[in-house]
């Protein structure tokens, strides 16, 4: 099983994912960033953000840089974008869209 490490030392397993070269590059670009939660600063992993429109679905180009702790909180404690927003004042769907937009502009 192959593991990938970003420049911050964060390990992410992309071996099981069926990603295009472009999606792999985007995943690594997202993981180069620190956690998106203000004042956290921890290493990030790639959180697949569900796309709300046109249908709720997972897409490899919708990703958020979030640390393992906040990722666990998102899924285990909050369970929704609204609850996570109420706790941290960060709307993950917008953040994911901006990540892809910024990456596309840089590529």
């Amino acid at each position: 099983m192959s593991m990938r490490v970003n420049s911050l030392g964060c390990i992410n397993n992309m071996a099981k994912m069926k990603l295009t070269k472009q999606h792999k590059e985007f995943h690594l670009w997202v993981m180069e960033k620190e956690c998106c939660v203000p004042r956290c600063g921890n290493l990030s992993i790639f959180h697949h953000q569900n796309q709300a429109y046109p249908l709720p679905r997972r897409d490899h180009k919708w990703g958020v840089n979030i640390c393992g702790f906040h990722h666990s909180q998102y899924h285990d404690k909050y369970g929704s974008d609204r609850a996570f927003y109420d706790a941290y004042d960060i709307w993950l769907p917008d953040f994911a869209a901006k990540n892809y937009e910024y990456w596309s502009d840089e590529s």
Side-chain angles (χ1 to χ4, degrees):
M1 182 178 298
S2 95
M3 302 295 258
R4 303 291 283 248
V5 179
N6 67 13
S7 66
L8 298 173
C10 184
I11 297 173
N12 189 36
N13 179 5
M14 289 193 266
K16 291 183 179 179
M17 294 184 219
K18 290 184 167 63
L19 299 173
T20 65
K21 181 179 183 231
Q22 183 182 23
H23 286 143
K24 285 180 185 177
E25 290 171 359
F26 177 59
H27 279 224
L28 292 171
W29 181 86
V30 168
M31 293 185 328
E32 291 289 321
K33 302 173 172 304
E34 294 179 347
C35 180
C36 66
V37 174
R39 296 176 304 283
C40 174
N42 287 331
L43 304 175
S44 68
I45 61 174
F46 189 96
H47 166 69
H48 282 94
Q49 181 61 43
N50 285 336
Q51 182 179 356
Y53 179 82
L55 297 171
R57 63 186 173 96
R58 254 176 78 154
D59 189 323
H60 289 302
K61 67 182 184 183
W62 278 67
V64 175
N65 44 300
I66 192 167
C67 71
F69 173 76
H70 288 112
H71 189 252
S72 292
Q73 278 199 322
Y74 174 86
H75 288 290
D76 301 335
K77 182 176 181 181
Y78 300 111
S80 73
D81 292 328
R82 173 58 59 196
F84 196 81
Y85 174 81
D86 290 343
Y88 293 108
D89 197 31
I90 182 166
W91 187 243
L92 294 181
D94 288 348
F95 203 91
K98 287 177 185 170
N99 266 347
Y100 193 73
E101 179 183 328
Y102 292 151
W103 178 78
S104 296
D105 288 346
E106 287 183 16
S107 297

